[in-house]
Amino acid sequence: MNSDSDLQIAGDILAVQHLLQPAKAHPSTVAEFAGLARSIAADRAQWAHLVDYDATTRWYHRLRTGPGYEVWLLSWVPGQGTGMHGHGDSSGVLTVLEGELTERTDKGARLLNAGAQRVFAPGYAHDVVNDSLEPAVSLHVYYPGLTEMPMHGTACSAPRARDAVTA
Ligand SMILES: [Fe+2]
């Protein structure tokens, strides 16, 4: 018996339905947005058939929207990257679904394998590129939805095809 509390529950707490919070229809915390991304990542039927690869421009598809947030699916052929950019007032969760991506910031480079997640706040800047020899797919949740993607300097970016779109 737990002696740190005077509260004792008799019976099965899960049987007391009115004490349980109803399931949320939409995420509202960082952990919930990261969880949404992980649940989509785990359910390939939601996204695998939608993925396309375009060697001339980075491909992206808005997979889902909700109150104040958007979920984007992106593909990356080898060599495609964003260039150093910010996300305006948006926070984000980047999740690698397939392949691997490299994220460069002013603090260095980080290899992101399938399943890796990066959560960032407004004001965060990075350069994301597929430096591998295989295509990659990623999922991006933005809250609020991404309305601008200001490009920053070129100091951290090697020459490559660039597209100022979602990342
Ligand atoms: Fe980005």
Side-chain angles (χ1 to χ4, degrees):
M1 174 174 291
N2 183 357
S3 60
D4 294 330
S5 170
D6 293 333
L7 178 62
Q8 296 183 18
I9 299 170
D12 181 2
I13 185 61
L14 296 179
V16 189
Q17 290 297 320
H18 68 279
L19 295 179
L20 303 176
Q21 294 187 2
K24 289 182 173 180
H26 298 283
S28 61
T29 67
V30 170
E32 289 169 351
F33 281 114
L36 170 66
R38 285 195 303 273
S39 69
I40 293 172
D43 186 2
R44 291 181 55 85
Q46 287 191 48
W47 53 268
H49 66 287
L50 299 171
V51 174
D52 195 6
Y53 298 99
D54 188 335
T56 61
T57 184
R58 282 193 19 257
W59 176 90
Y60 52 98
H61 172 77
R62 189 165 63 185
L63 190 63
R64 184 184 300 186
T65 62
Y69 70 92
E70 295 182 338
V71 181
W72 290 84
L73 188 63
L74 277 69
S75 71
W76 314 68
V77 299
Q80 285 184 328
T82 61
M84 185 66 73
H85 65 276
H87 310 85
D89 293 331
S90 297
S91 300
V93 178
L94 182 169
T95 304
V96 179
L97 302 183
E98 286 183 348
E100 61 183 40
L101 296 172
T102 300
E103 180 191 44
R104 295 188 182 96
T105 68
D106 58 357
K107 292 182 169 53
R110 179 188 309 261
L111 182 63
L112 304 174
N113 293 307
Q117 286 193 302
R118 295 287 292 156
V119 177
F120 53 85
Y124 186 70
H126 63 176
D127 175 13
V128 181
V129 61
N130 181 356
D131 275 339
S132 78
L133 299 177
E134 300 294 330
V137 181
S138 58
L139 188 79
H140 302 243
V141 182
Y142 296 106
Y143 179 87
L146 197 65
T147 57
E148 60 177 323
M149 193 174 129
M151 299 304 291
H152 296 210
T154 57
C156 296
S157 303
R160 66 176 67 90
R162 288 194 181 153
D163 302 292
V165 295
T166 306

